[in-house]
Amino acid sequence: MEIEVLRPQDLSAARLARWAELQASDIALDSPFLSPSWARAVERAQGDSSRPIRIAVMRKDDRDVGYFAARTGTVTAMPAGAPMCDYQGLVAEHDLDLDPRELVAALGVQRFDFCHMLDEDPVFAPFARGHVVSHVVDVTGGYEPYAAERREAGTSVLKDSDKKRRKVEREVGPVRFTAFSRSRADLDTLIDWKRAQLAATGQTDIFAAHWTMRLLRDLFASRDPDFGAVLFTLHFGEQLAAVHLHLRGRRTIHGWLIAHDPAFERYS
């Protein structure tokens, strides 16, 4: 197996197309976090970093069979964009046979640390310690068939949501949901709420690093039809109640950062 290591910005149009082809071949790989656009956006946001973003390109029989983005240091590599990267994995042909030590060595490091690796990943998943369920909503057939399937499965989430919506409409005001919002003011509110939430729970302020704010704003400004970040907002009357920032890809939107006004806690 030959492994070539490149900067994300140095990927040719042919390689970008091949990466997209491999992603499209498996819906589990369709997360925008696994696209070359994510690695390229992170590299632009981080600028000249002591831990640069690199792409390992796996080649077999003179063709690209896999791509892997990582942030490399002197000893350790992490997924590109960590800790902001919610999905991690190797984008490759399904039957790829690769020794992970060979990949780590090609990146010029001694170890690779990950935290959200796909369970289906053929190379790194066997090294995971613990598993959690990642919830996926499949609306390939539209919303109504999805809702009907959930009711038949016995879930009460949609019914409970309707009950809480009626309650807030009685007590506060009409509920207004906006998809793909472009409100910069609401984005700023989300960041303020999220930072307060992190501080209250004693967690690291992920926005303190200069590149994370630059990344969020660059992605929010993106008008690429296949990649970027958009808001989904919920208003009660004229009051902003909750905001969810999604990273969007060609066929998938990935819930990323979510926060709400604590004043509306009782409405979930």
Side-chain angles (χ1 to χ4, degrees):
M1 179 78 67
E2 177 188 352
I3 302 178
E4 184 179 356
V5 178
L6 304 169
R7 291 183 57 214
Q9 309 302 331
D10 292 337
L11 291 169
S12 66
R15 279 184 156 155
L16 293 174
R18 173 59 175 160
W19 192 324
E21 178 186 2
L22 288 172
Q23 276 197 281
S25 68
D26 185 349
I27 190 64
L29 297 176
D30 196 57
S31 170
F33 284 106
L34 299 180
S35 77
S37 296
W38 169 257
R40 288 155 69 93
V42 171
E43 183 181 44
R44 286 192 298 269
Q46 291 183 344
D48 294 329
S49 171
S50 60
R51 297 175 61 86
I53 305 299
R54 292 293 182 261
I55 306 296
V57 182
M58 282 128 279
R59 293 182 56 77
K60 185 177 181 180
D61 300 329
D62 294 324
R63 61 190 179 88
D64 292 358
V65 295
Y67 299 90
F68 188 73
R71 184 183 182 192
T72 58
T74 54
V75 176
T76 304
M78 297 186 296
M84 303 291 284
C85 183
D86 284 355
Y87 255 36
Q88 301 156 14
L90 182 72
V91 177
E93 293 182 349
H94 183 68
D95 59 351
L96 180 68
D97 183 16
L98 174 67
D99 184 342
R101 296 170 183 82
E102 184 181 355
L103 177 54
V104 170
L107 291 170
V109 296
Q110 298 177 21
R111 56 183 285 173
F112 174 68
D113 291 350
F114 59 87
C115 56
H116 290 85
M117 187 65 59
L118 291 178
D119 194 45
E120 299 89 349
D121 186 88
V123 175
F124 290 106
F127 296 88
R129 297 179 181 177
H131 295 76
V132 294
V133 174
S134 183
H135 297 281
V136 176
V137 177
D138 183 358
V139 289
T140 304
Y143 177 75
E144 290 305 328
Y146 162 76
E149 186 276 329
R150 289 289 79 207
R151 286 192 292 268
E152 291 174 5
T155 183
S156 62
V157 172
L158 301 180
K159 181 179 179 181
D160 291 345
S161 295
D162 284 340
K163 181 187 298 184
K164 290 167 183 174
R165 175 181 53 79
R166 292 191 296 270
K167 178 179 175 64
V168 77
E169 287 181 330
R170 289 193 306 270
E171 299 180 356
V172 181
V175 171
R176 173 164 52 92
F177 171 72
T178 305
F180 286 67
S181 166
R182 293 295 183 183
S183 171
R184 282 290 300 271
D186 290 349
L187 175 64
D188 290 340
T189 299
L190 167 64
I191 294 171
D192 289 342
W193 283 346
K194 196 67 182 178
R195 297 189 84 162
Q197 184 184 78
L198 292 171
T201 54
Q203 299 181 67
T204 301
D205 183 358
I206 57 176
F207 303 103
H210 72 281
W211 68 268
T212 55
M213 292 293 291
R214 187 184 307 165
L215 177 66
L216 286 184
R217 300 199 182 282
D218 286 351
L219 293 176
F220 190 65
S222 171
R223 296 299 182 264
D224 183 337
D226 294 331
F227 184 79
V230 291
L231 291 179
F232 288 70
T233 61
L234 192 67
H235 284 77
F236 296 164
E238 295 304 314
Q239 303 177 72
L240 181 65
V243 191
H244 202 168
L245 183 70
H246 287 64
L247 193 63
R248 57 177 176 81
R250 181 171 301 176
R251 298 179 296 168
T252 302
I253 54 174
H254 189 117
W256 195 11
L257 300 172
I258 188 169
H260 64 275
D261 186 338
F264 297 119
E265 191 80 47
R266 63 187 180 279
Y267 301 110
S268 296

